[in-house]
Amino acid sequence: MMFRRLALIGTGLIGGSLALALRERGEVGEVVGYSRRLDTRLAAERLGLIDRPADSIAEAVAGADLVFVATPVKAMDAVLGELAACLPGDALVTDGGSVKGAVVERARAHLSAGQLARFVPGHPIAGRERSGPEAATADLYRGHRVILTPIEENRAEDVARIEAMWQATGARIERLEVAHHDHVLAATSHLPHAAAYAMVSALARLAERYEVFRYAAGGFRDFTRIASSDPVMWRDICLDNRDEILVMLDHYRAELDCLRDMLESADGEKIEHYFHEAKAVRDALYPVAQANGANPVSEADETGR
Ligand SMILES: NC(=O)c1ccc[n+]([C@@H]2O[C@H](COP(=O)([O-])OP(=O)(O)OC[C@H]3O[C@@H](n4cnc5c(N)ncnc54)[C@H](O)[C@@H]3O)[C@@H](O)[C@H]2O)c1
Ligand SMILES: O=C(O)C(=O)C[C@]1(C(=O)O)C=C[C@@H](O)C=C1
């Protein structure tokens, strides 16, 4: 058993799935959970994600040797501030936040030097458009990548323990430098979510929106599934990785303008070439991404909802 007591701060999809996976593998003795809302804590207990709910962060982390912070990234400011006052001396801390630079800044602002050394930032590249404790599953991370972004203060053996913890969930671990993580994820995750929200909004603002949504089919569903993701989580990600996402949005807008120009001039040859190029890139790269643990289609996709 790797850890005798795991404290979850945030008992939703990401925290709950880690707890389930570690319990299933027998790698954790007890799981104590704190989340801001009482009903979420009680749901996490009822669903077997945690052994017992705690009424405060201090109560949750008492006696813990591993603390996993899995709240929306902006809420981590207050969470890390509270943790600084109550973290047991031997506890390792890691997180699952989708942005790393802002989270590391928050950790540096709140934690003592000794606590910071034991904070190993991370990000599982696995998830879904549903959130909350009900969405958690033991196999969410199996076959997926988890990116660790160790900081210079970390000790190699602590990073190795967090790596081993994620390996136990079936994930494959990679390390990236903090700023590089935020640059890459702005492209692969944050831009697609922003584009999906914008696409749904564009259609929703049409006068004939009811008719449009009535006839929305597979293409609309595939493109916009992720616009059903949690708005608070995505507000926080957008604000925390604002500069990188602005660059990606400009880049995307330039492509839309380019396509618009081709269409305006009815240049069929150019349009076909443009689509050929994009198809070739996706056909070549997507199987690689899937083999690397890209998310399988969600249940919502499979059932056609
Ligand atoms: N959903 C995904 O696909 C996904 C994937 C990878 C990483 N992440 C990251 O993981 C983190 C958690 O996301 P999730 O999908 O599990 O969200 P979730 O909504 O399922 O769970 C969030 C939990 O945090 C709690 N919480 C919110 N504010 C809090 C506060 N101020 N103090 C204490 N608890 C608070 C909520 O009650 C809930 O238990 C986020 O930082 C997100 O960016 C999400
Ligand atoms: O599959 C999904 O629903 C996701 O959005 C998961 C996803 C992503 O791939 O962009 C979302 C946010 C993350 O931080 C990591 C993974």
Side-chain angles (χ1 to χ4, degrees):
M1 182 179 302
M2 287 181 188
F3 296 98
R4 64 176 185 276
R5 187 178 295 169
L6 163 66
L8 281 188
I9 311 299
T11 55
L13 168 70
I14 294 300
S17 295
L18 178 68
L20 283 179
L22 292 180
R23 283 152 73 94
E24 193 180 81
R25 293 286 302 265
E27 296 294 3
V28 68
E30 189 189 17
V31 183
V32 184
Y34 172 78
S35 61
R36 199 179 30 171
R37 284 177 26 209
L38 176 64
D39 57 337
T40 321
R41 277 176 256 161
L42 295 179
E45 185 185 27
R46 179 171 37 80
L47 292 162
L49 312 182
I50 59 175
D51 295 301
R52 62 181 170 88
D55 290 332
S56 67
I57 289 180
E59 186 189 330
V61 303
D65 51 355
L66 177 64
V67 177
F68 184 56
V69 183
T71 66
V73 279
K74 281 205 174 293
M76 289 185 192
D77 192 43
V79 169
L80 288 163
E82 282 194 52
L83 276 179
C86 59
L87 202 59
D90 63 340
L92 278 181
V93 185
T94 187
D95 78 303
S98 304
V99 181
K100 299 280 42 102
V103 170
V104 168
E105 264 178 41
R106 289 180 185 124
R108 289 214 162 95
H110 291 295
L111 302 181
S112 69
Q115 291 169 336
L116 193 59
R118 284 178 280 115
F119 174 66
V120 181
H123 178 200
I125 312 300
R128 57 210 305 203
E129 71 280 12
R130 278 178 280 156
S131 54
E134 294 80 8
T137 59
D139 64 355
L140 184 71
Y141 304 119
R142 192 167 303 142
H144 285 260
R145 285 202 163 120
V146 170
I147 301 175
L148 296 184
T149 61
I151 51 175
E152 61 192 24
E153 292 87 346
N154 292 149
R155 294 184 320 159
E157 55 265 46
D158 290 339
V159 180
R161 284 186 76 199
I162 296 298
E163 195 165 288
M165 182 274 288
W166 279 114
Q167 268 159 359
T169 70
R172 296 184 314 114
I173 296 53
E174 296 204 11
R175 297 184 189 193
L176 285 184
E177 192 266 321
V178 171
H180 190 59
H181 167 279
D182 289 356
H183 177 67
V184 171
L185 269 290
T188 58
S189 176
H190 307 169
L191 173 64
H193 279 79
Y197 281 119
M199 166 68 79
V200 174
S201 300
L203 299 198
R205 285 185 223 294
L206 294 173
E208 63 276 34
R209 63 182 172 279
Y210 294 113
E211 193 190 7
V212 167
F213 284 118
R214 181 175 325 131
Y215 298 118
F220 176 81
R221 196 183 62 226
D222 289 352
F223 191 88
T224 62
R225 172 183 67 81
I226 52 180
S228 291
S229 303
D230 184 62
V232 171
M233 167 181 151
W234 281 98
R235 175 203 64 192
D236 284 8
I237 292 171
C238 285
L239 291 174
D240 269 359
N241 204 20
R242 192 167 69 113
D243 292 347
E244 294 286 0
I245 297 173
L246 284 173
V247 171
M248 289 303 159
L249 279 174
D250 287 346
H251 187 56
Y252 185 50
R253 190 160 54 184
E255 289 300 319
L256 287 177
D257 287 345
C258 174
L259 181 56
R260 193 184 182 289
D261 288 348
M262 288 186 271
L263 204 51
E264 199 161 38
S265 53
D267 192 336
E269 209 175 306
K270 262 196 187 166
I271 294 172
E272 188 183 329
H273 179 70
Y274 185 82
F275 289 167
H276 263 303
E277 274 190 344
K279 175 174 162 49
V281 169
R282 194 184 190 274
D283 289 352
L285 293 185
Y286 195 65
V288 177
Q290 275 189 318
N292 285 339
N295 283 340
V297 284
S298 74
E299 201 179 303
D301 276 351
E302 283 162 1
T303 55
R305 273 181 285 130

